PDB file of all heavy atoms in Angstrom:
ATOM      1  N   PHE A  38      -4.175  11.091 -25.358  1.00 42.00           N
ATOM      2  CA  PHE A  38      -3.604  11.169 -26.696  1.00 42.00           C
ATOM      3  C   PHE A  38      -4.561  11.890 -27.594  1.00 42.00           C
ATOM      4  O   PHE A  38      -5.251  11.277 -28.435  1.00 42.00           O
ATOM      5  CB  PHE A  38      -3.256   9.724 -27.199  1.00 42.00           C
ATOM      6  CG  PHE A  38      -2.324   9.661 -28.322  1.00 42.00           C
ATOM      7  CD1 PHE A  38      -1.813   8.472 -28.717  1.00 42.00           C
ATOM      8  CD2 PHE A  38      -1.875  10.839 -28.976  1.00 42.00           C
ATOM      9  CE1 PHE A  38      -0.908   8.359 -29.793  1.00 42.00           C
ATOM     10  CE2 PHE A  38      -0.904  10.771 -30.003  1.00 42.00           C
ATOM     11  CZ  PHE A  38      -0.431   9.498 -30.397  1.00 42.00           C
ATOM     12  N   PRO A  39      -4.569  13.213 -27.561  1.00 43.00           N
ATOM     13  CA  PRO A  39      -5.522  14.001 -28.310  1.00 43.00           C
ATOM     14  C   PRO A  39      -5.331  13.932 -29.812  1.00 43.00           C
ATOM     15  O   PRO A  39      -6.256  14.170 -30.584  1.00 43.00           O
ATOM     16  CB  PRO A  39      -5.365  15.415 -27.775  1.00 43.00           C
ATOM     17  CG  PRO A  39      -4.007  15.449 -27.191  1.00 43.00           C
ATOM     18  CD  PRO A  39      -3.769  14.043 -26.652  1.00 43.00           C
ATOM     19  N   ALA A  40      -4.152  13.572 -30.229  1.00 40.00           N
ATOM     20  CA  ALA A  40      -3.830  13.517 -31.644  1.00 40.00           C
ATOM     21  C   ALA A  40      -4.733  12.531 -32.472  1.00 40.00           C
ATOM     22  O   ALA A  40      -4.914  12.703 -33.660  1.00 40.00           O
ATOM     23  CB  ALA A  40      -2.396  13.192 -31.895  1.00 40.00           C
ATOM     24  N   LYS A  41      -5.206  11.520 -31.818  1.00 43.00           N
ATOM     25  CA  LYS A  41      -6.013  10.562 -32.536  1.00 43.00           C
ATOM     26  C   LYS A  41      -7.458  10.910 -32.552  1.00 43.00           C
ATOM     27  O   LYS A  41      -8.267  10.230 -33.325  1.00 43.00           O
ATOM     28  CB  LYS A  41      -5.849   9.190 -31.925  1.00 43.00           C
ATOM     29  CG  LYS A  41      -6.651   8.951 -30.698  1.00 43.00           C
ATOM     30  CD  LYS A  41      -6.576   7.522 -30.316  1.00 43.00           C
ATOM     31  CE  LYS A  41      -7.612   7.164 -29.247  1.00 43.00           C
ATOM     32  NZ  LYS A  41      -7.595   7.954 -28.075  1.00 43.00           N
ATOM     33  N   VAL A  42      -7.956  11.882 -31.862  1.00 41.00           N
ATOM     34  CA  VAL A  42      -9.400  12.183 -31.764  1.00 41.00           C
ATOM     35  C   VAL A  42      -9.961  12.547 -33.122  1.00 41.00           C
ATOM     36  O   VAL A  42     -11.057  12.048 -33.472  1.00 41.00           O
ATOM     37  CB  VAL A  42      -9.602  13.354 -30.765  1.00 41.00           C
ATOM     38  CG1 VAL A  42     -11.123  13.735 -30.734  1.00 41.00           C
ATOM     39  CG2 VAL A  42      -9.148  12.913 -29.420  1.00 41.00           C
ATOM     40  N   LYS A  43      -9.279  13.342 -33.930  1.00 43.00           N
ATOM     41  CA  LYS A  43      -9.834  13.712 -35.261  1.00 43.00           C
ATOM     42  C   LYS A  43      -9.950  12.493 -36.091  1.00 43.00           C
ATOM     43  O   LYS A  43     -10.900  12.344 -36.924  1.00 43.00           O
ATOM     44  CB  LYS A  43      -8.886  14.739 -35.872  1.00 43.00           C
ATOM     45  CG  LYS A  43      -8.922  16.090 -35.184  1.00 43.00           C
ATOM     46  CD  LYS A  43      -8.044  17.076 -35.927  1.00 43.00           C
ATOM     47  CE  LYS A  43      -8.087  18.451 -35.305  1.00 43.00           C
ATOM     48  NZ  LYS A  43      -7.225  19.462 -35.943  1.00 43.00           N
ATOM     49  N   CYS A  44      -8.994  11.538 -36.080  1.00 44.00           N
ATOM     50  CA  CYS A  44      -9.054  10.327 -36.833  1.00 44.00           C
ATOM     51  C   CYS A  44     -10.294   9.509 -36.434  1.00 44.00           C
ATOM     52  O   CYS A  44     -11.031   8.990 -37.243  1.00 44.00           O
ATOM     53  CB  CYS A  44      -7.812   9.415 -36.640  1.00 44.00           C
ATOM     54  SG  CYS A  44      -6.286  10.229 -37.220  1.00 44.00           S
ATOM     55  N   LEU A  45     -10.511   9.358 -35.175  1.00 43.00           N
ATOM     56  CA  LEU A  45     -11.685   8.676 -34.673  1.00 43.00           C
ATOM     57  C   LEU A  45     -12.977   9.329 -35.092  1.00 43.00           C
ATOM     58  O   LEU A  45     -13.909   8.637 -35.577  1.00 43.00           O
ATOM     59  CB  LEU A  45     -11.669   8.598 -33.156  1.00 43.00           C
ATOM     60  CG  LEU A  45     -10.610   7.671 -32.476  1.00 43.00           C
ATOM     61  CD1 LEU A  45     -10.538   7.834 -31.085  1.00 43.00           C
ATOM     62  CD2 LEU A  45     -10.940   6.183 -32.812  1.00 43.00           C
ATOM     63  N   HIS A  46     -13.020  10.627 -35.060  1.00 43.00           N
ATOM     64  CA  HIS A  46     -14.283  11.359 -35.443  1.00 43.00           C
ATOM     65  C   HIS A  46     -14.514  11.157 -36.896  1.00 43.00           C
ATOM     66  O   HIS A  46     -15.753  10.949 -37.308  1.00 43.00           O
ATOM     67  CB  HIS A  46     -14.103  12.796 -35.086  1.00 43.00           C
ATOM     68  CG  HIS A  46     -14.232  13.057 -33.600  1.00 43.00           C
ATOM     69  ND1 HIS A  46     -14.038  14.276 -33.090  1.00 43.00           N
ATOM     70  CD2 HIS A  46     -14.568  12.253 -32.570  1.00 43.00           C
ATOM     71  CE1 HIS A  46     -14.222  14.217 -31.736  1.00 43.00           C
ATOM     72  NE2 HIS A  46     -14.556  12.996 -31.466  1.00 43.00           N
ATOM     73  N   ARG A  47     -13.505  11.130 -37.739  1.00 43.00           N
ATOM     74  CA  ARG A  47     -13.682  10.931 -39.163  1.00 43.00           C
ATOM     75  C   ARG A  47     -14.298   9.574 -39.427  1.00 43.00           C
ATOM     76  O   ARG A  47     -15.185   9.379 -40.253  1.00 43.00           O
ATOM     77  CB  ARG A  47     -12.429  11.085 -39.952  1.00 43.00           C
ATOM     78  CG  ARG A  47     -11.986  12.595 -40.051  1.00 43.00           C
ATOM     79  CD  ARG A  47     -11.003  12.722 -41.170  1.00 43.00           C
ATOM     80  NE  ARG A  47      -9.763  12.010 -41.009  1.00 43.00           N
ATOM     81  CZ  ARG A  47      -8.689  12.459 -40.350  1.00 43.00           C
ATOM     82  NH1 ARG A  47      -8.707  13.701 -39.878  1.00 43.00           N
ATOM     83  NH2 ARG A  47      -7.678  11.717 -40.201  1.00 43.00           N
ATOM     84  N   LEU A  48     -13.758   8.494 -38.705  1.00 43.00           N
ATOM     85  CA  LEU A  48     -14.267   7.172 -38.947  1.00 43.00           C
ATOM     86  C   LEU A  48     -15.642   7.021 -38.476  1.00 43.00           C
ATOM     87  O   LEU A  48     -16.467   6.362 -39.030  1.00 43.00           O
ATOM     88  CB  LEU A  48     -13.383   6.179 -38.163  1.00 43.00           C
ATOM     89  CG  LEU A  48     -12.055   5.813 -38.864  1.00 43.00           C
ATOM     90  CD1 LEU A  48     -11.235   4.956 -37.881  1.00 43.00           C
ATOM     91  CD2 LEU A  48     -12.336   5.049 -40.148  1.00 43.00           C
ATOM     92  N   LEU A  49     -15.996   7.650 -37.348  1.00 40.00           N
ATOM     93  CA  LEU A  49     -17.366   7.583 -36.804  1.00 40.00           C
ATOM     94  C   LEU A  49     -18.367   8.301 -37.724  1.00 40.00           C
ATOM     95  O   LEU A  49     -19.583   8.069 -37.561  1.00 40.00           O
ATOM     96  CB  LEU A  49     -17.358   8.175 -35.415  1.00 40.00           C
ATOM     97  CG  LEU A  49     -16.613   7.415 -34.345  1.00 40.00           C
ATOM     98  CD1 LEU A  49     -16.559   8.150 -33.033  1.00 40.00           C
ATOM     99  CD2 LEU A  49     -17.216   6.045 -34.146  1.00 40.00           C
ATOM    100  N   GLN A  50     -17.917   9.128 -38.574  1.00 42.00           N
ATOM    101  CA  GLN A  50     -18.849   9.755 -39.501  1.00 42.00           C
ATOM    102  C   GLN A  50     -19.172   8.949 -40.675  1.00 42.00           C
ATOM    103  O   GLN A  50     -20.090   9.258 -41.409  1.00 42.00           O
ATOM    104  CB  GLN A  50     -18.172  11.129 -39.981  1.00 42.00           C
ATOM    105  CG  GLN A  50     -18.117  12.224 -38.881  1.00 42.00           C
ATOM    106  CD  GLN A  50     -17.319  13.399 -39.271  1.00 42.00           C
ATOM    107  OE1 GLN A  50     -16.723  13.420 -40.353  1.00 42.00           O
ATOM    108  NE2 GLN A  50     -17.261  14.435 -38.420  1.00 42.00           N
ATOM    109  N   LEU A  51     -18.460   7.772 -40.831  1.00 41.00           N
ATOM    110  CA  LEU A  51     -18.812   6.920 -41.956  1.00 41.00           C
ATOM    111  C   LEU A  51     -20.160   6.279 -41.717  1.00 41.00           C
ATOM    112  O   LEU A  51     -20.675   6.236 -40.577  1.00 41.00           O
ATOM    113  CB  LEU A  51     -17.771   5.769 -42.022  1.00 41.00           C
ATOM    114  CG  LEU A  51     -16.299   6.162 -42.361  1.00 41.00           C
ATOM    115  CD1 LEU A  51     -15.401   4.986 -42.180  1.00 41.00           C
ATOM    116  CD2 LEU A  51     -16.246   6.732 -43.735  1.00 41.00           C
ATOM    117  N   LYS A  52     -20.765   5.784 -42.785  1.00 35.00           N
ATOM    118  CA  LYS A  52     -22.055   5.075 -42.598  1.00 35.00           C
ATOM    119  C   LYS A  52     -21.814   3.854 -41.785  1.00 35.00           C
ATOM    120  O   LYS A  52     -20.760   3.267 -41.674  1.00 35.00           O
ATOM    121  CB  LYS A  52     -22.583   4.685 -43.934  1.00 35.00           C
ATOM    122  CG  LYS A  52     -22.977   5.959 -44.777  1.00 35.00           C
ATOM    123  CD  LYS A  52     -23.557   5.519 -46.163  1.00 35.00           C
ATOM    124  CE  LYS A  52     -23.954   6.674 -46.962  1.00 35.00           C
ATOM    125  NZ  LYS A  52     -24.546   6.297 -48.262  1.00 35.00           N
ATOM    126  N   HIS A  53     -22.966   3.420 -41.144  1.00 38.00           N
ATOM    127  CA  HIS A  53     -22.885   2.294 -40.297  1.00 38.00           C
ATOM    128  C   HIS A  53     -22.428   0.999 -40.997  1.00 38.00           C
ATOM    129  O   HIS A  53     -21.755   0.230 -40.448  1.00 38.00           O
ATOM    130  CB  HIS A  53     -24.263   2.016 -39.651  1.00 38.00           C
ATOM    131  CG  HIS A  53     -24.314   0.933 -38.618  1.00 38.00           C
ATOM    132  ND1 HIS A  53     -23.773   1.071 -37.406  1.00 38.00           N
ATOM    133  CD2 HIS A  53     -24.805  -0.369 -38.747  1.00 38.00           C
ATOM    134  CE1 HIS A  53     -23.926  -0.081 -36.742  1.00 38.00           C
ATOM    135  NE2 HIS A  53     -24.485  -0.938 -37.474  1.00 38.00           N
ATOM    136  N   THR A  54     -22.799   0.896 -42.232  1.00 36.00           N
ATOM    137  CA  THR A  54     -22.305  -0.251 -43.052  1.00 36.00           C
ATOM    138  C   THR A  54     -21.864   0.261 -44.398  1.00 36.00           C
ATOM    139  O   THR A  54     -22.150   1.412 -44.756  1.00 36.00           O
ATOM    140  CB  THR A  54     -23.401  -1.306 -43.296  1.00 36.00           C
ATOM    141  OG1 THR A  54     -24.501  -0.692 -43.904  1.00 36.00           O
ATOM    142  CG2 THR A  54     -23.815  -1.905 -41.992  1.00 36.00           C
ATOM    143  N   PHE A  55     -21.112  -0.502 -45.103  1.00 37.00           N
ATOM    144  CA  PHE A  55     -20.744  -0.180 -46.494  1.00 37.00           C
ATOM    145  C   PHE A  55     -20.944  -1.399 -47.318  1.00 37.00           C
ATOM    146  O   PHE A  55     -20.929  -2.510 -46.838  1.00 37.00           O
ATOM    147  CB  PHE A  55     -19.290   0.363 -46.560  1.00 37.00           C
ATOM    148  CG  PHE A  55     -18.281  -0.631 -46.161  1.00 37.00           C
ATOM    149  CD1 PHE A  55     -17.670  -1.483 -47.025  1.00 37.00           C
ATOM    150  CD2 PHE A  55     -17.873  -0.682 -44.858  1.00 37.00           C
ATOM    151  CE1 PHE A  55     -16.732  -2.442 -46.694  1.00 37.00           C
ATOM    152  CE2 PHE A  55     -16.934  -1.626 -44.404  1.00 37.00           C
ATOM    153  CZ  PHE A  55     -16.351  -2.414 -45.327  1.00 37.00           C
ATOM    154  N   TRP A  56     -21.053  -1.231 -48.652  1.00 36.00           N
ATOM    155  CA  TRP A  56     -21.211  -2.346 -49.531  1.00 36.00           C
ATOM    156  C   TRP A  56     -19.903  -2.990 -49.915  1.00 36.00           C
ATOM    157  O   TRP A  56     -18.943  -2.325 -50.194  1.00 36.00           O
ATOM    158  CB  TRP A  56     -21.927  -1.879 -50.817  1.00 36.00           C
ATOM    159  CG  TRP A  56     -23.376  -1.564 -50.581  1.00 36.00           C
ATOM    160  CD1 TRP A  56     -23.897  -0.310 -50.509  1.00 36.00           C
ATOM    161  CD2 TRP A  56     -24.424  -2.425 -50.338  1.00 36.00           C
ATOM    162  NE1 TRP A  56     -25.177  -0.329 -50.220  1.00 36.00           N
ATOM    163  CE2 TRP A  56     -25.593  -1.645 -50.108  1.00 36.00           C
ATOM    164  CE3 TRP A  56     -24.520  -3.808 -50.284  1.00 36.00           C
ATOM    165  CZ2 TRP A  56     -26.823  -2.197 -49.861  1.00 36.00           C
ATOM    166  CZ3 TRP A  56     -25.826  -4.373 -50.066  1.00 36.00           C
ATOM    167  CH2 TRP A  56     -26.944  -3.529 -49.795  1.00 36.00           C
ATOM    168  N   CYS A  57     -19.856  -4.261 -49.749  1.00 44.00           N
ATOM    169  CA  CYS A  57     -18.609  -4.996 -50.084  1.00 44.00           C
ATOM    170  C   CYS A  57     -18.398  -4.977 -51.587  1.00 44.00           C
ATOM    171  O   CYS A  57     -19.316  -4.670 -52.329  1.00 44.00           O
ATOM    172  CB  CYS A  57     -18.663  -6.477 -49.615  1.00 44.00           C
ATOM    173  SG  CYS A  57     -18.745  -6.605 -47.806  1.00 44.00           S
ATOM    174  N   SER A  58     -17.218  -5.493 -52.027  1.00 41.00           N
ATOM    175  CA  SER A  58     -16.968  -5.518 -53.403  1.00 41.00           C
ATOM    176  C   SER A  58     -17.868  -6.492 -54.131  1.00 41.00           C
ATOM    177  O   SER A  58     -18.389  -7.456 -53.520  1.00 41.00           O
ATOM    178  CB  SER A  58     -15.447  -5.942 -53.633  1.00 41.00           C
ATOM    179  OG  SER A  58     -15.275  -7.253 -53.133  1.00 41.00           O
ATOM    180  N   PRO A  59     -18.059  -6.357 -55.397  1.00 41.00           N
ATOM    181  CA  PRO A  59     -18.956  -7.321 -56.123  1.00 41.00           C
ATOM    182  C   PRO A  59     -18.559  -8.743 -55.992  1.00 41.00           C
ATOM    183  O   PRO A  59     -19.423  -9.664 -55.972  1.00 41.00           O
ATOM    184  CB  PRO A  59     -18.774  -6.825 -57.634  1.00 41.00           C
ATOM    185  CG  PRO A  59     -18.449  -5.401 -57.496  1.00 41.00           C
ATOM    186  CD  PRO A  59     -17.553  -5.284 -56.285  1.00 41.00           C
ATOM    187  N   SER A  60     -17.228  -8.981 -55.831  1.00 42.00           N
ATOM    188  CA  SER A  60     -16.785 -10.351 -55.693  1.00 42.00           C
ATOM    189  C   SER A  60     -17.315 -11.031 -54.401  1.00 42.00           C
ATOM    190  O   SER A  60     -17.301 -12.242 -54.248  1.00 42.00           O
ATOM    191  CB  SER A  60     -15.201 -10.381 -55.737  1.00 42.00           C
ATOM    192  OG  SER A  60     -14.690  -9.726 -54.616  1.00 42.00           O
ATOM    193  N   LEU A  61     -17.683 -10.152 -53.479  1.00 42.00           N
ATOM    194  CA  LEU A  61     -18.187 -10.704 -52.165  1.00 42.00           C
ATOM    195  C   LEU A  61     -19.708 -10.669 -52.123  1.00 42.00           C
ATOM    196  O   LEU A  61     -20.302 -10.842 -51.130  1.00 42.00           O
ATOM    197  CB  LEU A  61     -17.574  -9.896 -51.025  1.00 42.00           C
ATOM    198  CG  LEU A  61     -16.141  -9.963 -50.840  1.00 42.00           C
ATOM    199  CD1 LEU A  61     -15.651  -9.065 -49.738  1.00 42.00           C
ATOM    200  CD2 LEU A  61     -15.677 -11.411 -50.548  1.00 42.00           C
ATOM    201  N   GLY A  62     -20.341 -10.410 -53.285  1.00 40.00           N
ATOM    202  CA  GLY A  62     -21.789 -10.531 -53.332  1.00 40.00           C
ATOM    203  C   GLY A  62     -22.586  -9.345 -52.949  1.00 40.00           C
ATOM    204  O   GLY A  62     -23.738  -9.336 -52.695  1.00 40.00           O
ATOM    205  N   LYS A  63     -21.855  -8.197 -52.754  1.00 36.00           N
ATOM    206  CA  LYS A  63     -22.485  -7.005 -52.338  1.00 36.00           C
ATOM    207  C   LYS A  63     -23.362  -7.117 -51.008  1.00 36.00           C
ATOM    208  O   LYS A  63     -24.420  -6.497 -50.861  1.00 36.00           O
ATOM    209  CB  LYS A  63     -23.449  -6.468 -53.398  1.00 36.00           C
ATOM    210  CG  LYS A  63     -22.632  -5.951 -54.650  1.00 36.00           C
ATOM    211  CD  LYS A  63     -23.592  -5.298 -55.618  1.00 36.00           C
ATOM    212  CE  LYS A  63     -22.820  -4.692 -56.799  1.00 36.00           C
ATOM    213  NZ  LYS A  63     -23.674  -3.994 -57.735  1.00 36.00           N
ATOM    214  N   ALA A  64     -22.841  -7.900 -50.152  1.00 38.00           N
ATOM    215  CA  ALA A  64     -23.474  -8.044 -48.822  1.00 38.00           C
ATOM    216  C   ALA A  64     -23.060  -6.873 -47.901  1.00 38.00           C
ATOM    217  O   ALA A  64     -21.868  -6.500 -48.001  1.00 38.00           O
ATOM    218  CB  ALA A  64     -23.135  -9.372 -48.171  1.00 38.00           C
ATOM    219  N   PRO A  65     -23.897  -6.356 -47.084  1.00 45.00           N
ATOM    220  CA  PRO A  65     -23.490  -5.338 -46.164  1.00 45.00           C
ATOM    221  C   PRO A  65     -22.487  -5.885 -45.134  1.00 45.00           C
ATOM    222  O   PRO A  65     -22.642  -6.961 -44.628  1.00 45.00           O
ATOM    223  CB  PRO A  65     -24.793  -4.929 -45.490  1.00 45.00           C
ATOM    224  CG  PRO A  65     -25.664  -6.150 -45.635  1.00 45.00           C
ATOM    225  CD  PRO A  65     -25.309  -6.765 -46.892  1.00 45.00           C
ATOM    226  N   CYS A  66     -21.421  -5.067 -44.868  1.00 55.00           N
ATOM    227  CA  CYS A  66     -20.393  -5.534 -43.967  1.00 55.00           C
ATOM    228  C   CYS A  66     -20.171  -4.478 -42.890  1.00 55.00           C
ATOM    229  O   CYS A  66     -20.315  -3.264 -43.132  1.00 55.00           O
ATOM    230  CB  CYS A  66     -19.047  -5.692 -44.735  1.00 55.00           C
ATOM    231  SG  CYS A  66     -19.113  -6.931 -45.992  1.00 55.00           S
ATOM    232  N   SER A  67     -19.735  -4.908 -41.669  1.00 74.00           N
ATOM    233  CA  SER A  67     -19.454  -4.035 -40.660  1.00 74.00           C
ATOM    234  C   SER A  67     -18.016  -3.367 -40.892  1.00 74.00           C
ATOM    235  O   SER A  67     -17.208  -3.882 -41.684  1.00 74.00           O
ATOM    236  CB  SER A  67     -19.318  -4.748 -39.331  1.00 74.00           C
ATOM    237  OG  SER A  67     -20.567  -5.348 -38.993  1.00 74.00           O
ATOM    238  N   ARG A  68     -17.815  -2.241 -40.244  1.00 89.00           N
ATOM    239  CA  ARG A  68     -16.498  -1.635 -40.342  1.00 89.00           C
ATOM    240  C   ARG A  68     -15.474  -2.569 -39.654  1.00 89.00           C
ATOM    241  O   ARG A  68     -15.741  -3.040 -38.572  1.00 89.00           O
ATOM    242  CB  ARG A  68     -16.525  -0.318 -39.697  1.00 89.00           C
ATOM    243  CG  ARG A  68     -17.279   0.758 -40.494  1.00 89.00           C
ATOM    244  CD  ARG A  68     -17.431   2.067 -39.716  1.00 89.00           C
ATOM    245  NE  ARG A  68     -18.243   1.823 -38.526  1.00 89.00           N
ATOM    246  CZ  ARG A  68     -18.507   2.819 -37.736  1.00 89.00           C
ATOM    247  NH1 ARG A  68     -18.022   4.006 -37.903  1.00 89.00           N
ATOM    248  NH2 ARG A  68     -19.209   2.503 -36.651  1.00 89.00           N
ATOM    249  N   LEU A  69     -14.359  -2.782 -40.286  1.00 96.00           N
ATOM    250  CA  LEU A  69     -13.335  -3.657 -39.742  1.00 96.00           C
ATOM    251  C   LEU A  69     -12.018  -2.887 -39.490  1.00 96.00           C
ATOM    252  O   LEU A  69     -11.653  -2.028 -40.266  1.00 96.00           O
ATOM    253  CB  LEU A  69     -13.028  -4.791 -40.753  1.00 96.00           C
ATOM    254  CG  LEU A  69     -14.303  -5.596 -41.172  1.00 96.00           C
ATOM    255  CD1 LEU A  69     -13.883  -6.676 -42.213  1.00 96.00           C
ATOM    256  CD2 LEU A  69     -14.918  -6.383 -39.950  1.00 96.00           C
TER     257      LEU A  69
END
Side-chain angles (χ1 to χ4, degrees):
F38 200 170
K41 80 172 192 306
V42 176
K43 291 183 179 179
C44 295
L45 287 171
H46 286 172
R47 284 200 299 269
L48 280 173
L49 292 172
Q50 289 170 357
L51 295 173
K52 293 182 179 179
H53 185 73
T54 58
F55 62 91
W56 291 103
C57 295
S58 63
S60 62
L61 296 175
K63 292 189 176 181
C66 299
S67 299
R68 289 171 297 181
L69 305 175

